[in-house]
Amino acid sequence: SRRCGLAAGRSYSGGGAYPSVSLSCPLPGVPKAVFAAAEGREQFETRVTVLENGLRVASQNKFGQFCTVGLLVNSGSRHEAKYLSGISHFLEKLAFCSTAQFASKDEILLTLEKHGGICDCQASRDTIMYAVSAEARGLDTVVNLLADVALQPRLSDEEIEMTRTAIRFELEDLNMRPDPEPLLTEMIHAAAYRENTVGLNRFCPVENTDRIDRAVLHSYLRNYYTPDRMVLAGVGIEHEQLVESARKHLLGVEPVWGSGQTKDVDRSVAQYTGGIVKVEKDMSDVSLGPTPIPELTHIMIGLESCSFLEEDFIPFAVLNMMMGGGGSFSAGGPGKGMFTRLYLNVLNRHHWMYNATSYHHSYEDTGLLCIHASADPKQVREMVEIITREFILMAGTVGEVELERAKTQLKSMLMMNLEARPVIFEDVGRQVLATNTRKLPHELCALISQVKSTDIKRVVTKMLHKKPAVAALGDLRDLPSYEHIQTALSSKDGRLPRLYRLFR
């Protein structure tokens, strides 16, 4: 009773006297708290409705004044095999320009401004996404705008010419920036899936900028911008309202390119080939100034994993989190992955390594687990040896503490990312586009909890049987041959001694 009662006043730095009340006891004289609770499972489930034309409408409850609504299309650079490469890059830059209803981009932005809205378009290898965040009261205006932007773009000569200029500038900037991550990602995909599907270039090649015009864009749009390949997703709005707006603005709409029969839709399944893509480049002057980044050579080694539709996707996600890693300058402080393998085994032991990071790219029909490493050009051979060794050690013993930490970190990252409304929107849209339904966060967390060390060993053993994909950028005089890297990754017995013999 003394612990929860009012004790003698204690002086604090503020000068006032406050009662000392235990944090585990209710405050005296304060009404009992009433906590909010979900009324039932239906309150947080993702609802999906399929319209008569095949368009899917998906929504997720999230209370607040604002909503995020967007149109996702099953279209991307992987579908450009029969077309000029770079169409998706053009469409991304041309998004939210003039349409049948809106004379200019400025008019679109002024319309959104009335509802406190912002817009964005992002194109990836397999999806293009038009999204708007605005006040929920402006839902009808937002859906009308999205329908107009996706199905009725004017694609004027002036806008196309401005897009060409913007793309040329972006390509020039891509080759000059100190961080080569986007370039290496393109190279590793090109090496892993040579000249097919997700291996096709996501950026428009310079030689194609003048060849892509309105006729080429309309030919592509006619095949891929069809209702059965689209999902209208919304977060923070009532499902019935979204369906009503979709019926009003997306049902029976005649696109600007006409409604002819689709005939060139590419339904190819990704074919993993493995291989190497090398770009010799002078990296000595990528970052000038008072504290320049030293000259580095960048290597990325990858192996085929699995698609996000397979059961093994969750063990691969845990494995990627377990490998972790990062740049050498982000090694300090708690919560920065200092217990991941690439920190413990690589960055903490080899001071000359500037980066060692694991990435997992996953698609509807394939996946790629890779490690990016960078170091001084004179130590490329040793760097490749170290990264290759880490791949082989993945198939070894996985400690229970290590595994539990990786699973906890993955669940934490998943839940923290889903605090943001735009992230929930993208999650809803992509899952419904691929599977017509959505796994909820608690279901994914349950699957993560079920992962065992034997699952990690099984998926790694399966992965190590594939040919590696290698991307190399910078001064490559000391780079081991592709055959050496492949032989090292396929070694099963006497692993480390054999690795040292191969590279030395």
Side-chain angles (χ1 to χ4, degrees):
S1 60
R2 289 187 62 188
R3 286 186 62 201
C4 295
L6 293 176
R10 183 183 297 172
S11 294
Y12 292 87
S13 57
Y18 296 94
S20 176
V21 179
S22 169
L23 293 176
S24 60
C25 299
L27 290 172
V30 176
K32 188 177 179 181
V34 179
F35 297 99
E39 293 178 11
R41 185 182 173 87
E42 66 277 359
Q43 293 293 320
F44 53 87
E45 281 186 337
T46 301
R47 297 180 63 185
V48 181
T49 298
V50 182
L51 301 188
E52 290 82 346
N53 62 354
L55 177 81
R56 285 157 287 179
V57 181
S59 74
Q60 176 73 46
N61 268 339
K62 186 174 175 67
F63 303 102
Q65 185 181 352
F66 284 80
C67 66
T68 299
V69 182
L71 204 59
L72 292 92
V73 189
N74 185 10
S75 155
S77 58
R78 70 169 296 164
H79 301 109
E80 294 172 2
K82 299 178 183 177
Y83 295 87
L84 289 170
S85 175
I87 290 176
S88 298
H89 196 183
F90 259 76
L91 291 173
E92 180 185 52
K93 299 295 179 194
L94 285 164
F96 295 100
C97 288
S98 63
T99 68
Q101 292 182 43
F102 301 93
S104 66
K105 189 165 194 168
D106 288 341
E107 195 173 318
I108 288 175
L109 295 176
L110 283 169
T111 303
L112 285 174
E113 194 177 303
K114 293 173 186 175
H115 300 284
I118 55 172
C119 61
D120 187 29
C121 177
Q122 292 180 7
S124 63
R125 289 188 149 74
D126 53 2
T127 311
I128 188 162
M129 182 171 60
Y130 302 85
V132 171
S133 285
E135 275 190 315
R137 289 179 296 178
L139 175 65
D140 197 64
T141 303
V142 167
V143 176
N144 175 42
L145 170 62
L146 287 167
D148 215 41
V149 164
L151 301 176
Q152 304 283 338
R154 285 186 182 173
L155 304 178
S156 68
D157 292 338
E158 183 185 359
E159 288 168 346
I160 290 175
E161 191 54 48
M162 286 178 65
T163 300
R164 288 180 181 136
T165 304
I167 286 175
R168 288 190 196 108
F169 176 80
E170 188 175 337
L171 293 174
E172 191 176 335
D173 178 66
L174 192 68
N175 288 304
M176 292 172 61
R177 60 192 297 176
D179 174 26
E181 195 61 47
L183 207 56
L184 280 168
T185 301
E186 289 305 304
M187 291 166 63
I188 196 76
H189 279 82
Y193 306 92
R194 192 168 292 277
E195 296 178 0
N196 79 88
T197 57
V198 293
L200 300 177
N201 201 335
R202 193 169 66 86
F203 298 104
C204 180
V206 178
E207 62 271 17
N208 284 357
T209 51
D210 288 323
R211 297 166 64 191
I212 294 175
D213 55 20
R214 189 188 299 110
V216 172
L217 293 170
H218 278 185
S219 172
Y220 179 86
L221 291 165
R222 187 176 296 111
N223 286 299
Y224 290 99
Y225 275 46
T226 54
D228 59 301
R229 299 177 68 87
M230 294 181 179
V231 169
L232 178 69
V235 176
I237 34 81
E238 292 295 330
H239 186 72
E240 288 75 16
Q241 284 183 302
L242 187 60
V243 171
E244 185 183 340
S245 293
R247 288 186 185 280
K248 182 178 174 183
H249 301 293
L250 287 160
L251 202 58
V253 178
E254 178 78 13
V256 70
W257 48 84
S259 56
Q261 284 291 100
T262 59
K263 55 183 179 179
D264 288 324
V265 176
D266 185 2
R267 293 187 171 86
S268 303
V269 176
Q271 302 297 315
Y272 180 83
T273 59
I276 185 168
V277 172
K278 298 190 288 186
V279 175
E280 289 268 3
K281 186 179 177 185
D282 180 12
M283 305 285 282
S284 59
D285 60 351
V286 293
S287 174
L288 303 175
T291 54
I293 296 175
E295 181 182 0
L296 299 173
T297 295
H298 300 270
I299 305 293
M300 197 177 270
I301 300 175
L303 291 164
E304 187 182 24
S305 57
C306 72
S307 90
F308 56 69
L309 299 177
E310 296 179 48
E311 289 183 2
D312 284 345
F313 172 68
I314 300 294
F316 269 115
V318 174
L319 171 65
N320 180 55
M321 190 59 66
M322 193 171 74
M323 297 306 296
S328 58
F329 295 106
S330 65
K336 291 198 173 181
M338 288 196 65
F339 290 99
T340 61
R341 284 193 179 187
L342 291 178
Y343 265 118
L344 292 173
N345 301 345
V346 179
L347 292 170
N348 288 353
R349 295 184 181 182
H350 307 284
H351 65 89
W352 46 268
M353 290 276 281
Y354 277 78
N355 186 30
T357 313
S358 174
Y359 296 94
H360 188 215
H361 305 279
S362 198
Y363 305 96
E364 198 170 341
D365 50 1
T366 187
L368 190 66
L369 182 80
C370 44
I371 295 176
H372 168 210
S374 53
D376 186 275
K378 297 183 182 66
Q379 291 168 304
V380 169
R381 184 170 291 271
E382 192 176 353
M383 173 172 66
V384 173
E385 170 201 317
I386 289 164
I387 297 306
T388 309
R389 182 178 64 202
E390 287 306 310
F391 268 109
I392 291 175
L393 291 176
M394 288 181 193
T397 305
V398 179
E400 282 304 314
V401 174
E402 178 185 37
L403 181 62
E404 285 305 314
R405 182 184 285 118
K407 292 196 290 187
T408 303
Q409 197 171 349
L410 180 59
K411 286 186 278 189
S412 171
M413 188 182 73
L414 170 70
M415 300 305 291
M416 197 159 68
N417 285 343
L418 290 174
E419 288 289 311
R421 192 179 59 252
V423 177
I424 301 174
F425 153 76
E426 188 173 347
D427 183 49
V428 169
R430 285 184 179 276
Q431 285 202 50
V432 172
L433 192 64
T435 65
N436 297 320
T437 185
R438 180 188 179 224
K439 274 193 172 74
L440 294 170
H442 70 270
E443 295 176 281
L444 291 171
C445 287
L447 291 172
I448 293 168
S449 297
Q450 292 168 16
V451 174
K452 298 180 176 62
S453 56
T454 52
D455 297 322
I456 302 293
K457 190 164 185 175
R458 174 174 51 79
V459 297
V460 171
T461 304
K462 180 177 159 186
M463 182 176 68
L464 287 171
H465 280 94
K466 305 288 178 68
K467 288 173 63 179
V470 181
L473 177 69
D475 182 346
L476 308 177
R477 281 174 291 185
D478 290 336
L479 179 71
S481 70
Y482 177 76
E483 289 72 23
H484 277 178
I485 298 171
Q486 185 178 356
T487 307
L489 280 170
S490 63
S491 64
K492 298 294 183 292
D493 302 314
R495 293 167 183 152
L496 297 186
R498 184 173 178 187
L499 272 174
Y500 280 100
R501 287 199 301 274
L502 275 169
F503 287 105
R504 301 191 177 188

